[in-house]
Amino acid sequence: MHSMPITPLLVELILFILLLQVEADKNDKSVKDLVMLLFETSLMASGFTLEDPQLHASRIHRMVCLGLGMYDVSFPLDALS
């Protein structure tokens, strides 16, 4: 499997797109979820542990539902265990 290297230009492009989305709708929870997922994933990749892994999992579930077009689905934390 071929993977695309993460370059500074790619990071700048991703950040620019996120900034445009934030400017378009400052109340969009999906943008906040995406930013937090990127941050938490980088923490885990660096060897740190998350204070609340269930919150991280619920963000992932919300983003998957958003990608599937299931906009009004919420995942209670007790459903994750």
Side-chain angles (χ1 to χ4, degrees):
M1 181 176 168
H2 178 72
S3 63
M4 189 167 96
I6 303 293
T7 64
L9 180 61
L10 181 60
V11 171
E12 287 291 325
L13 179 61
I14 292 169
L15 291 175
F16 179 72
I17 292 169
L18 288 173
L19 180 63
L20 290 177
Q21 289 178 337
V22 168
E23 290 298 319
D25 184 0
K26 294 185 187 292
N27 296 320
D28 188 357
K29 189 173 183 176
S30 65
V31 174
K32 181 182 177 187
D33 279 344
L34 181 57
V35 170
M36 289 303 298
L37 282 172
L38 290 170
F39 175 70
E40 291 169 345
T41 302
S42 66
L43 285 176
M44 290 188 298
S46 298
F48 293 93
T49 57
L50 300 178
E51 289 181 20
D52 191 352
Q54 285 187 330
L55 182 59
H56 182 75
S58 68
R59 283 191 183 105
I60 291 172
H61 287 131
R62 280 195 302 269
M63 295 305 290
V64 168
C65 287
L66 182 64
L68 294 173
M70 301 167 57
Y71 301 106
D72 294 328
V73 176
S74 62
F75 284 90
L77 291 178
D78 59 350
L80 298 175
S81 55

